[in-house]
Amino acid sequence: MTTYAAVYAAWKADPEAFWMDAAQRIHWHQPPSRALFDRGNDLYEWYADGLTNTCYNAVDRHVADGRGDQVAIIHDSPITGTIRKITYADLLTRVATLAGALQAQGITKGDRVIIYMPMVPEAVEAMLACARIGAIHSVVFGGFAAHELAVRIDDATPRAIIAASCGLEPGRVVHYKPLLDSAIEQATHKPDFTVILQREQEPCTLIAGRDLDWHAFQAGVTPADCVWVKGNHPAYILYTSGTTGQPKGVVRPTGGHMVALHWSMKNIYNVDPGDVFWAASDVGWVVGHSYICYGPLIHGNTTVVFEGKPIGTPDAGTFWRVISEHNVRSFFTAPTAFRAIKREDPKGVYRAKYDLSCLRALYLAGERADSDTIVWAQNILGVPVYDHWWQTETGWTIAGNPAGIEALPVKLGSPTVAMPGYDVQVLDEAGHPVGPNTLGAIAVKLPLPPGTLPTLWNATDRFKKSYLSHFPGYYETGDAGMIDEDGYLYIMARTDDVINVAGHRLSTGAMEEVLASHPDVAECAVIGAGDELKGQVPVGFLCLTKGVNRPHDVIVKECVTLMRDQIGPVADFKRAVVVDRLPKTRSGKILRATMVKIADSQPFKMPATIDDPAILDEIKAALQGIGFAKG
Ligand code: COA
Ligand code: AMP
């Protein structure tokens, strides 16, 4: 039997051979001459001179191999009460036609296309259609507001935007079209055209000469063939939060992406082609890219596109119904979803209604998985629960439990061990590796493996500055933690201003920029305070401009609305307080980490450089007023 240790050692001994072997699972129109291309200055690419196509590997190849009748996509929408199944053969026809229609409008290799859609199969089809013709897609999550969409339009400069008329949240229709129109108006760059999928729940008015109807623009077009692209051609750009309001455009290269995802489907998620795999996330996040769309399809699995929530659509048994009804083998979601179900149905009354014998394992990622949630999930499901750690930047697991090779013993609080390709080290501030069980910055020795980001879109200097400059020779993950004597990794906290709200990555810096734009706000700070359900929630502190004497609750309300309009409902910014001053060091740095400790009722050391310790009592009192710092 192969062991994890043997596989990891084989990679370490000869990474080139390891990744050339893995590349053989992918169809290449022209195979790459080698795996790694060292571009100098710590920049690397994988499979750069091979020729391939992502859509061919995700769709055409399976039809050619006789999987045409297998269901590729199950769309299960408890919100609309519908279930739709699309076979690989159907998917090929649909995607080739959509790609042909885009081509007929002049979209060619290298053009960017933004996709702003809810959880409908057409979102996945739009991604695949772009890949088919070598266009570079950038999916924007539906919970972002018009301003965030506008920022992405200006950065990616798309020739087209594909959107739906509306999205559906429980009890609320998300009006996509007005958001889209407003974003295009706000953006400096204008797309040549948009394509709108009209949903019957809320059709919209199309702007003549700019907006094309999804169905009408495909009528009578010639289906597109796959366009072969180089291994280093960007498959997509996905924006993620950094420390400022300007999101980072993570570039995903075609060849390495497919090789890594294909490897992960068996070795990590332990599914075989034909099995049903379900990631309950959203196409707007990296989990949706890798494990709703590309990973399962490239590997010949059936993927589930789920339009619903863990609770309330209609009840806390929805996940169990979907698993049971669609014969899901491996299931992937964020811990927050399980916390929501546990809160609603702690005894698992809904769970008992369904036969879940098809399920082999649960995978959790996106945020720290607390031990209570893992143990509850283990008990209620009776299958192994695997935490695994990764990021938008990597696109696939950095540390996980390689269940398809060998299921390693689970240690609560640890996402287990580094995957092949990742030489993970914990460094002290000077960049020296520390010993076992010692906290430090988590970094990965360069080069990163296939599938990870080679750079940021149009921003190589920012890429180097953000990830490569702090610890020369390493990629800085932005997470802090430790490795124990068995090589198990523990992720403890972020080292930057990124917070994680219900598995969604958000920037407190970006939120501060929004608050600072309020005319009455002179100074502000945003922290991520601990929350039982969502892991963290943002809390704002507002210092008002001298002379402003409007009621504080009105100003707080305006700030909450401003955040919803500027960043979007997904920021979940609902709590803010007005304070006289912020705690700072003598050099003027706001002591956000200390404020977090106060909010979470954690012990903290009085910062030696604090300007005036009495401010901390004021902060505590303000936090108590909104339900924090209770301990
Ligand atoms: N389009 C528009 N709005 C959206 C949206 C989308 N795709 N997704 C979320 N929102 C809105 C919600 O409607 C909500 O708005 P509200 O303030 O008007 O109620 C707000 O954004 C916050 O949403 P959410 O984080 O989903 O919180 P919730 O309280 O509605 O639900 C959970 C809580 C735990 C059920 C929910 O967060 C959840 O299912 N999390 C799973 C996380 C996940 O899949 N993460 C992906 C990474 S793996
Ligand atoms: P994202 O890029 O949105 O996937 O967010 C990545 C960040 O989420 C990581 O850098 C971590 O801070 C956090 N994260 C993701 N998975 C885990 C995990 N399993 N345990 C702890 N933190 C996690």
Side-chain angles (χ1 to χ4, degrees):
M1 191 191 87
T2 325
T3 61
Y4 157 75
V7 173
Y8 192 81
W11 160 70
K12 218 161 181 190
D14 192 347
E16 181 71 19
F18 184 92
W19 290 119
M20 280 307 268
D21 178 59
Q24 290 186 22
R25 314 292 168 272
I26 294 304
H27 173 89
W28 298 91
H29 183 63
Q30 183 187 302
S33 64
R34 59 182 202 271
L36 183 67
F37 289 71
D38 184 343
R39 301 302 194 198
N41 284 324
D42 285 342
L43 299 178
Y44 298 91
E45 291 182 326
W46 292 91
Y47 312 113
D49 65 358
L51 280 180
T52 185
N53 181 283
T54 302
C55 184
Y56 184 85
N57 276 282
V59 187
D60 302 50
R61 182 166 68 140
H62 303 310
V63 177
D65 288 351
R67 286 191 181 279
D69 292 336
Q70 182 193 313
V71 173
I73 300 176
I74 299 171
H75 181 230
D76 189 309
S77 170
I79 297 196
T80 59
T82 55
I83 292 174
R84 185 152 60 119
K85 296 184 180 175
I86 299 169
T87 65
Y88 272 104
D90 292 341
L91 187 61
L92 177 54
T93 308
R94 294 169 67 88
V95 168
T97 310
L98 178 58
L102 290 171
Q103 251 175 359
Q105 295 298 323
I107 301 291
T108 58
K109 186 165 98 180
D111 286 344
R112 272 82 58 212
V113 175
I114 279 186
I115 299 172
Y116 186 56
M117 296 183 91
M119 286 296 286
V120 290
E122 286 83 353
V124 171
E125 291 168 4
M127 294 161 83
L128 293 166
C130 289
R132 190 170 190 85
I133 55 175
I136 303 167
H137 65 67
S138 187
V139 182
V140 178
F141 177 61
F144 281 124
H147 171 74
E148 288 291 312
L149 179 56
V151 168
R152 287 155 175 77
I153 293 173
D154 277 337
D155 198 75
T157 58
R159 287 199 59 197
I161 301 182
I162 306 179
S165 57
C166 70
L168 302 169
E169 283 289 290
R172 169 167 86 90
V173 173
V174 185
H175 314 292
Y176 272 50
K177 187 55 171 33
L179 288 169
L180 174 67
D181 290 345
S182 162
I184 294 175
E185 201 179 303
Q186 288 177 45
T188 311
H189 171 84
K190 309 291 176 199
D192 296 349
F193 66 97
T194 77
V195 179
I196 308 291
L197 175 74
Q198 296 280 20
R199 297 191 77 186
E200 63 182 40
Q201 291 78 13
E202 184 177 88
C204 61
T205 310
L206 302 184
I207 297 177
R210 189 198 74 183
D211 299 338
L212 305 174
D213 174 78
W214 172 280
H215 294 290
F217 107 119
Q218 296 187 51
V221 300
T222 309
D225 286 334
C226 290
V227 173
W228 303 111
V229 299
K230 288 258 178 74
N232 61 356
H233 180 73
Y236 68 77
I237 306 164
L238 178 58
Y239 289 89
T240 190
S241 298
T243 47
T244 67
Q246 181 66 28
K248 296 167 170 170
V250 168
V251 173
R252 187 81 56 217
T254 299
H257 180 226
M258 287 196 281
V259 173
L261 292 187
H262 192 286
W263 187 90
S264 72
M265 291 307 295
K266 178 63 192 169
N267 293 297
I268 298 175
Y269 300 105
N270 201 14
V271 285
D272 294 312
D275 287 345
V276 182
F277 178 87
W278 178 26
S281 179
D282 188 286
V283 284
W285 305 116
V286 69
V287 177
H289 282 64
S290 295
Y291 294 111
I292 294 174
C293 180
Y294 291 115
L297 296 179
I298 287 167
H299 195 247
N301 292 103
T302 298
T303 187
V304 181
V305 174
F306 173 72
E307 189 179 38
K309 299 268 175 177
I311 51 171
T313 58
D315 55 41
T318 302
F319 276 9
W320 321 140
R321 196 241 339 131
V322 172
I323 292 169
S324 168
E325 190 166 342
H326 302 308
N327 205 24
V328 173
R329 285 282 167 144
S330 289
F331 175 44
F332 179 167
T333 192
T336 191
F338 266 74
R339 289 196 295 270
I341 298 171
K342 180 174 157 222
R343 194 160 83 167
E344 194 111 337
D345 182 22
K347 296 211 156 45
V349 174
Y350 284 102
R351 155 69 184 92
K353 295 184 187 172
Y354 298 95
D355 172 7
L356 301 187
S357 53
C358 55
L359 187 70
R360 273 202 304 237
L362 166 69
Y363 293 80
L364 297 176
E367 57 173 327
R368 204 176 141 71
D370 54 287
S371 304
D372 279 0
T373 304
I374 294 189
V375 170
W376 185 80
Q378 280 169 345
N379 289 340
I380 201 159
L381 294 176
V383 298
V385 176
Y386 300 126
D387 180 16
H388 59 321
W389 169 64
W390 50 295
Q391 317 180 301
T392 305
E393 288 85 344
T394 64
W396 66 287
T397 307
I398 310 171
N401 200 321
I405 302 171
E406 171 194 14
L408 296 174
V410 168
K411 290 195 194 184
L412 290 178
S414 169
T416 319
V417 292
M419 290 297 100
Y422 293 97
D423 181 353
V424 180
Q425 305 204 6
V426 178
L427 307 179
D428 65 17
E429 206 19 63
H432 305 304
V434 299
N437 301 309
T438 309
L439 270 178
I442 307 178
V444 183
K445 211 159 191 328
L446 295 174
L448 290 173
T452 57
L453 81 174
T455 189
L456 293 173
W457 181 250
N458 276 342
T460 297
D461 285 347
R462 188 177 182 200
F463 169 67
K464 289 185 182 169
K465 195 160 167 266
S466 307
Y467 301 105
L468 309 181
S469 65
H470 195 159
F471 301 117
Y474 291 90
Y475 163 82
E476 185 184 5
T477 64
D479 285 310
M482 61 187 192
I483 299 178
D484 75 8
E485 50 291 329
D486 298 327
Y488 278 57
L489 201 66
Y490 293 78
I491 313 298
M492 312 305 284
R494 288 289 301 190
T495 56
D496 56 15
D497 297 334
V498 166
I499 61 170
N500 203 308
V501 182
H504 306 140
R505 173 168 160 182
L506 298 160
S507 157
T508 54
M511 293 192 210
E512 288 177 3
E513 285 177 30
V514 173
L515 294 181
S517 72
H518 187 288
D520 294 348
V521 173
E523 197 178 22
C524 63
V526 175
I527 61 164
D531 180 81
E532 246 180 48
L533 175 66
K534 299 194 171 186
Q536 285 180 303
V537 288
V539 176
F541 297 85
L542 314 168
C543 298
L544 303 185
T545 310
K546 256 207 167 96
V548 170
N549 50 17
R550 299 169 61 228
H552 290 178
D553 59 331
V554 172
I555 296 173
V556 165
K557 241 192 203 154
E558 287 169 0
C559 285
V560 167
T561 307
L562 194 62
M563 200 70 83
R564 211 180 159 87
D565 290 348
Q566 292 290 304
I567 294 188
V570 68
D572 202 23
F573 184 88
K574 287 176 181 146
R575 304 141 203 95
V577 281
V578 173
V579 291
D580 284 340
R581 45 198 189 143
L582 295 170
K584 290 185 186 169
T585 61
R586 267 176 237 123
S587 60
K589 207 166 176 278
I590 298 173
L591 291 162
R592 292 183 185 79
T594 308
M595 293 158 81
V596 172
K597 293 261 195 254
I598 296 173
D600 295 350
S601 305
Q602 297 284 323
F604 64 90
K605 262 209 222 131
M606 181 63 71
T609 55
I610 190 163
D611 189 29
D612 176 4
I615 305 182
L616 296 184
D617 293 331
E618 295 168 27
I619 293 293
K620 185 171 178 185
L623 281 164
Q624 284 173 337
I626 52 169
F628 295 95
K630 289 285 191 204

